Amino acid sequence: METEVGSTIFHWLWPELPPQLKVGGEDIAQNFAQLCLHIRARLAEMPAGEEKASLELSAAHWVYDFIRANIKRGRLFSLD
Protein backbone atom coordinates (compact mmCIF):
# COMPACT_ATOMS: atom_id res chain seq x y z
CA MET A 1 0.00 0.00 0.00
CA GLU A 2 2.78 2.41 -0.93
CA THR A 3 0.37 4.82 -2.51
CA GLU A 4 -0.78 8.27 -1.52
CA VAL A 5 -3.48 6.65 0.59
CA GLY A 6 -1.00 4.31 2.26
CA SER A 7 1.46 7.05 3.10
CA THR A 8 -1.34 9.28 4.40
CA ILE A 9 -2.81 6.55 6.59
CA PHE A 10 0.64 5.85 8.02
CA HIS A 11 0.61 9.31 9.63
CA TRP A 12 -2.89 9.03 11.09
CA LEU A 13 -3.59 8.40 14.76
CA TRP A 14 -4.22 4.72 15.40
CA PRO A 15 -6.73 3.67 18.05
CA GLU A 16 -5.77 0.61 20.05
CA LEU A 17 -6.57 -2.64 18.30
CA PRO A 18 -9.05 -4.90 20.07
CA PRO A 19 -7.57 -8.22 21.23
CA GLN A 20 -9.28 -10.11 18.38
CA LEU A 21 -7.38 -8.10 15.76
CA LYS A 22 -3.92 -8.44 17.27
CA VAL A 23 -1.36 -10.75 15.71
CA GLY A 24 0.28 -13.00 18.26
CA GLY A 25 -0.98 -10.72 21.01
CA GLU A 26 0.76 -7.66 19.55
CA ASP A 27 -0.42 -4.68 17.56
CA ILE A 28 0.58 -4.54 13.94
CA ALA A 29 2.68 -1.41 14.17
CA GLN A 30 1.05 1.18 11.93
CA ASN A 31 0.70 -1.10 8.92
CA PHE A 32 -2.83 -0.91 7.60
CA ALA A 33 -2.17 -3.18 4.61
CA GLN A 34 -0.72 -5.90 6.84
CA LEU A 35 -3.66 -5.58 9.22
CA CYS A 36 -6.14 -5.95 6.34
CA LEU A 37 -4.36 -9.05 5.03
CA HIS A 38 -4.29 -10.57 8.50
CA ILE A 39 -8.03 -10.01 9.05
CA ARG A 40 -8.92 -11.28 5.58
CA ALA A 41 -6.87 -14.46 6.10
CA ARG A 42 -8.41 -15.14 9.49
CA LEU A 43 -11.93 -14.63 8.14
CA ALA A 44 -11.26 -16.92 5.16
CA GLU A 45 -10.22 -19.81 7.39
CA MET A 46 -13.13 -19.45 9.83
CA PRO A 47 -16.42 -21.27 9.31
CA ALA A 48 -19.54 -19.14 9.39
CA GLY A 49 -20.76 -18.60 12.91
CA GLU A 50 -20.73 -16.34 15.92
CA GLU A 51 -16.93 -16.17 16.18
CA LYS A 52 -16.61 -15.05 12.54
CA ALA A 53 -19.40 -12.50 12.95
CA SER A 54 -17.72 -11.20 16.10
CA LEU A 55 -14.40 -10.75 14.28
CA GLU A 56 -16.12 -8.95 11.38
CA LEU A 57 -17.93 -6.64 13.78
CA SER A 58 -14.77 -5.95 15.76
CA ALA A 59 -12.88 -5.06 12.55
CA ALA A 60 -15.70 -2.81 11.33
CA HIS A 61 -15.85 -0.96 14.65
CA TRP A 62 -12.09 -0.46 14.69
CA VAL A 63 -12.03 0.90 11.11
CA TYR A 64 -14.89 3.27 11.98
CA ASP A 65 -13.01 4.51 15.07
CA PHE A 66 -9.81 4.83 13.01
CA ILE A 67 -11.44 6.97 10.33
CA ARG A 68 -13.56 8.97 12.74
CA ALA A 69 -10.60 9.86 14.97
CA ASN A 70 -8.66 11.23 12.04
CA ILE A 71 -11.37 13.00 10.07
CA LYS A 72 -12.52 14.64 13.28
CA ARG A 73 -9.02 16.06 13.71
CA GLY A 74 -8.86 17.39 10.15
CA ARG A 75 -6.52 14.80 8.67
CA LEU A 76 -8.41 14.83 5.41
CA PHE A 77 -6.81 14.35 2.04
CA SER A 78 -7.95 14.46 -1.56
CA LEU A 79 -6.94 12.08 -4.30
CA ASP A 80 -6.83 13.02 -7.95
Side-chain angles (χ1 to χ4, degrees):
M1 189 178 249
E2 290 301 319
T3 63
E4 185 177 347
V5 173
S7 62
T8 300
I9 287 175
F10 179 78
H11 298 290
W12 281 9
L13 298 175
W14 284 61
E16 184 177 346
L17 284 171
Q20 288 180 303
L21 301 181
K22 293 184 180 183
V23 178
E26 298 180 12
D27 285 350
I28 298 176
Q30 304 264 331
N31 191 331
F32 193 77
Q34 185 180 356
L35 176 61
C36 292
L37 291 173
H38 167 70
I39 293 169
R40 180 176 278 185
R42 284 190 52 204
L43 287 171
E45 66 189 27
M46 295 175 113
E50 286 185 32
E51 186 178 354
K52 185 172 188 171
S54 176
L55 179 61
E56 290 171 335
L57 188 59
S58 183
H61 282 250
W62 184 85
V63 169
Y64 174 83
D65 291 342
F66 176 61
I67 292 170
R68 174 100 172 136
N70 288 283
I71 290 176
K72 196 173 185 180
R73 290 179 174 78
R75 289 177 177 83
L76 296 174
F77 59 95
S78 63
L79 301 174
D80 294 333

